[in-house]
Amino acid sequence: MMKFKPNQTRTYDGEGFKRRAACLCFRNEKEDEVLLVSSSRHPDQWIVPGGGMEPEEEPCGAAAREVYEEAGVKGKLGRLLGIFEHNQDRKHRTYVYTLIVTEMLEDWEDSVNIGRKRKWFKTEEAVRVLQSHKPVHAEYLRRLTDSRHPACAPVCSRATDNNAPHYVVCSTQGSDLLNR
């Protein structure tokens, strides 16, 4: 299902969840520093870069596109941390990947168009910063340790086939991890 808005097309899965993708962008493989961007709605608050998937777009492609647009970075896309469901105000289902940053643009789409900023945070500090206004985003970082277990950490495959990787659905309404 699709819903059209000016300048964007929102896509929904069969259960009515908005399809989204995001990346935790790390400075290096240690994953101890994460890049956050300023919110477009609340410029004094920090968020994890991500957004809606385009029609026919794979989650990993959408995640890479969104971080390029919102944070002005490119990098090596890593494992899928999980698929996070947010059901309280709007039904979102967000595929969250890791990305090791290899290139940072001086000026990028959202910095020019809306004045978006970016900043490196120690992972523990980022959890605290996000917890107050974006607890769902803080949960992405909390699941980071869990994802280091091989059964929970498939690498993104851009090819579509019937042998889709095992992934984890993480609900932000208090339920535990569900295997899918």
Side-chain angles (χ1 to χ4, degrees):
M1 180 169 67
M2 290 186 281
K3 183 177 180 182
F4 296 96
K5 274 188 75 179
N7 302 336
Q8 72 180 25
T9 303
R10 293 185 175 176
T11 59
Y12 295 83
D13 65 18
E15 297 176 76
F17 284 84
K18 182 179 178 192
R19 298 177 71 227
R20 300 184 75 255
C23 282
L24 293 177
C25 301
F26 295 104
R27 192 183 295 266
N28 56 44
E29 287 81 7
K30 289 193 242 175
E31 297 180 346
D32 58 354
E33 287 183 274
V34 64
L35 189 68
L36 300 180
V37 296
S38 58
S39 168
S40 59
R41 289 189 186 127
H42 306 283
D44 59 327
Q45 296 177 348
W46 299 99
I47 61 171
V48 172
M53 287 191 233
E54 299 292 328
E56 310 301 320
E57 190 173 34
E58 291 297 319
C60 53
R65 176 185 51 77
E66 284 291 339
V67 299
Y68 182 74
E69 293 171 2
E70 291 191 0
V73 298
K74 294 181 181 181
K76 180 182 170 198
L77 196 63
R79 69 196 180 280
L80 175 66
L81 290 177
I83 302 168
F84 294 77
E85 293 180 352
H86 184 231
N87 301 324
Q88 292 170 352
D89 49 354
R90 292 172 271 165
K91 288 173 64 172
H92 290 164
R93 189 168 278 153
T94 306
Y95 293 73
V96 181
Y97 294 88
T98 62
L99 181 129
I100 304 301
V101 174
T102 58
E103 181 182 347
M104 293 184 74
L105 303 176
E106 194 168 316
D107 295 308
W108 66 98
E109 185 176 334
D110 279 6
S111 72
V112 172
N113 293 341
I114 62 172
R116 194 181 299 266
K117 294 175 178 33
R118 64 186 175 203
K119 180 179 175 183
W120 290 105
F121 288 86
K122 291 289 186 186
T123 305
E124 304 79 28
E125 181 187 4
V127 171
R128 286 191 298 275
V129 166
L130 294 168
Q131 186 58 48
S132 62
H133 64 278
K134 279 289 188 185
V136 174
H137 291 196
E139 187 65 20
Y140 302 165
L141 285 164
R142 283 194 200 94
R143 297 287 183 194
L144 184 64
T145 303
D146 298 339
S147 77
R148 292 183 178 133
H149 185 275
C152 300
V155 174
C156 175
S157 171
R158 293 186 188 271
T160 57
D161 65 289
N162 292 333
N163 298 319
H166 172 80
Y167 58 89
V168 177
V169 175
C170 308
S171 173
T172 58
Q173 289 191 317
S175 68
D176 211 342
L177 296 177
L178 304 169
N179 287 324
R180 275 223 168 150

